């Protein structure tokens, strides 16, 4: 079997690659690992179909590409978790496999995924790649959308590029949930998720391309009055998520979608909350802060 990677849409040859001829449940060859990294640099998002992975296989696959981060951004207490700390639980289920009640705080917190974001930008050392495996998906709805933040950066006016170049944003899950009116945090969670600093423009270490590093977690710009910062961030988000920069993934069971959080944002779309949606995410750490990436 030899790995084949081509653009999902020939009209956008540098965003969203579709991969075939690879079985992620087996140990990858060095050539396969290099092909995946090179394709991630080129496309920013890769789609693999028919990958029947269990949690252990998903973890082993991910570790072949880099160092895993732990699911410390989840609100679920360790005793309530359905799965281990090496995976983020992207589902609407409790640990007994029952649907979370509509007003459950874990479900309401999880609705934050419906806002455009980049994973773990609220951690000092944020995420590099995310790998999301679809185990059970609803009959309709629940797409995941991706926005190309390199293309969004390139399309800015020159004056705006100069203005954003050295700005530092403050990111916290308290901000992103605040947008949805969720403020049911314990003192411990508030302390754990205190704002962290991230560059607004970052350079990809391999390709050298610049991208806008935005997320709903960004709730301020260092040195700026709050309302001015938030209105500017809102404008930038609006710019960056115009349809020409966005791809909507319609899930099939056993798809694995992998994205580079340094160059993309993503969001979940609505679905019927009485249907099960069970996806699991492994995440590679970026190992350094975005502050080091210009
Ligand atoms: C994630 C995420 C979106 C979705 O897994 O990080 O934001 O559609 N998921 O579930
Ligand atoms: Mn996410």
């Amino acid at each position: 079997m030899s790995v084949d990677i081509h653009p999902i849409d020939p009209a956008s040859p540098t965003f969203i690659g579709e991969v075939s001829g690879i079985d992620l449940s087996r140990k990858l060859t060095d050539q396969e690992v290099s092909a995946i990294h090179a394709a991630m640099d080129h496309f920013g998002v890769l789609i693999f179909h028919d990958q029947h992975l269990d949690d252990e296989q998903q973890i082993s696959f991910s570790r072949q590409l880099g160092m895993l981060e732990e699911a410390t951004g989840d609100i679920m207490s360790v005793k309530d978790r359905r799965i281990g700390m090496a995976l983020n639980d992207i589902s609407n289920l409790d640990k007994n496999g029952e649907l979370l009640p509509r007003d459950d705080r874990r479900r309401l917190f999880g609705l934050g995924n419906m806002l455009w974001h980049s994973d773990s930008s609220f951690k000092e050392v944020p995420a590099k790649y995310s790998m999301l495996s679809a185990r059970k998906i609803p009959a309709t709805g629940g797409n995941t959308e991706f926005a190309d933040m390199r293309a969004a950066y390139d399309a800015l006016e020159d004056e705006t590029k100069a203005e954003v170049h050295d700005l530092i944003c403050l990111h916290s899950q308290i901000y992103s949930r605040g947008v949805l009116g969720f403020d049911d945090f314990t003192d411990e969670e508030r302390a754990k998720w205190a704002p962290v600093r991230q560059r607004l423009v970052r350079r990809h270490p391999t390709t050298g391309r610049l991208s806008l590093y935005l997320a709903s977690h960004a709730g301020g710009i260092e040195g700026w009055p709050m309302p001015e910062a938030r209105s500017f961030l809102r404008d930038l988000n609006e710019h960056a998520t115009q349809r020409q920069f966005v791809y909507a993934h319609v899930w099939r069971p056993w798809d694995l979608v992998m994205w580079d959080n340094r160059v993309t944002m993503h969001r979940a779309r609505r679905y019927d909350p009485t249907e099960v949606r069970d996806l699991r995410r492994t995440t590679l750490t970026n190992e350094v802060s975005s502050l080091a990436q210009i």
Side-chain angles (χ1 to χ4, degrees):
M1 215 163 33
S2 76
V3 50
D4 174 67
I5 308 177
H6 60 268
I8 198 161
D9 174 4
S12 49
T14 58
F15 193 41
I16 321 290
E18 196 169 34
V19 189
S20 56
I22 192 164
D23 177 356
L24 303 181
S25 71
R26 293 169 187 271
K27 186 172 174 353
L28 303 179
T29 63
D30 292 347
Q31 288 84 340
E32 286 171 330
V33 169
S34 315
I36 291 175
H37 283 303
M40 285 297 282
D41 288 348
H42 181 79
F43 291 107
V45 181
L46 293 179
I47 295 165
F48 303 79
H49 299 292
D50 303 315
Q51 302 293 333
H52 292 249
L53 303 178
D54 62 23
D55 291 351
E56 282 315 310
Q57 289 168 327
Q58 185 173 345
I59 292 167
S60 323
F61 155 63
S62 307
R63 284 211 174 112
Q64 293 173 80
L65 298 175
M67 201 196 300
L68 284 191
E69 79 166 31
E70 287 215 313
T72 50
D74 279 3
I75 205 166
M76 201 68 94
S77 67
V78 172
K79 70 168 181 17
D80 287 337
R81 289 183 70 81
R82 206 164 60 100
I83 54 183
M85 285 298 284
L87 295 115
N88 278 81
D89 192 353
I90 309 294
S91 78
N92 52 358
L93 302 173
D94 68 14
K95 70 174 173 194
N96 301 315
E98 302 290 336
L99 285 170
L100 292 169
R102 188 161 187 187
D103 61 353
D104 190 286
R105 86 188 264 278
R106 297 164 293 181
R107 171 175 181 271
L108 300 179
F109 178 84
L111 294 182
N113 276 346
M114 297 179 65
L115 303 177
W116 285 108
H117 66 282
S118 175
D119 288 333
S120 300
S121 71
F122 54 85
K123 295 183 182 176
E124 261 171 46
V125 175
K128 183 181 175 186
Y129 300 163
S130 292
M131 294 88 156
L132 188 58
S133 159
R135 309 295 172 83
K136 197 158 198 312
I137 56 167
T140 55
N143 294 346
T144 305
E145 294 183 343
F146 295 91
D148 186 344
M149 306 304 282
R150 303 159 298 183
Y153 174 83
D154 290 345
L156 292 172
E157 306 278 347
D158 285 346
E159 303 83 81
T160 315
K161 283 182 180 161
E163 188 175 17
V164 293
H165 193 267
D166 289 318
L167 294 179
I168 304 289
C169 293
L170 298 167
H171 291 238
S172 168
Q173 297 210 94
I174 314 282
Y175 294 143
S176 46
R177 273 49 188 189
V179 172
L180 297 182
F182 178 99
D183 63 356
D184 183 11
F185 291 106
T186 63
D187 290 345
E188 201 183 317
E189 286 159 354
R190 283 180 198 281
K192 178 165 77 167
W193 292 326
V196 303
R197 302 168 73 235
Q198 304 287 359
R199 292 194 62 90
L200 179 51
V201 176
R202 63 190 297 186
R203 189 181 296 281
H204 190 288
T206 314
T207 66
R209 284 188 74 178
L210 296 177
S211 52
L212 274 175
Y213 190 36
L214 288 168
S216 57
H217 308 305
I221 300 176
E222 209 164 72
W224 283 42
M226 185 62 96
E228 195 176 355
R230 295 225 175 151
S231 60
F232 187 41
L233 289 171
R234 200 181 255 256
D235 280 353
L236 290 173
N237 274 291
E238 220 171 84
H239 162 78
T241 57
Q242 295 175 83
R243 292 325 292 184
Q244 69 265 33
F245 305 131
V246 172
Y247 161 76
H249 185 65
V250 182
W251 290 95
R252 298 188 217 154
W254 304 111
D255 280 350
L256 183 131
V257 178
M258 181 169 159
W259 61 90
D260 187 339
N261 288 290
R262 300 171 298 183
V263 301
T264 58
M265 282 204 290
H266 60 280
R267 66 171 177 181
R269 305 299 278 149
R270 278 165 64 87
Y271 62 96
D272 176 353
T274 65
E275 281 197 68
V276 172
R277 185 174 189 265
D278 183 357
L279 299 100
R280 298 168 196 214
R281 192 186 90 213
T282 37
T283 316
L284 300 189
T285 169
N286 191 50
E287 300 184 43
V288 294
S289 159
S290 68
L291 300 175
Q293 292 189 323
I294 195 68

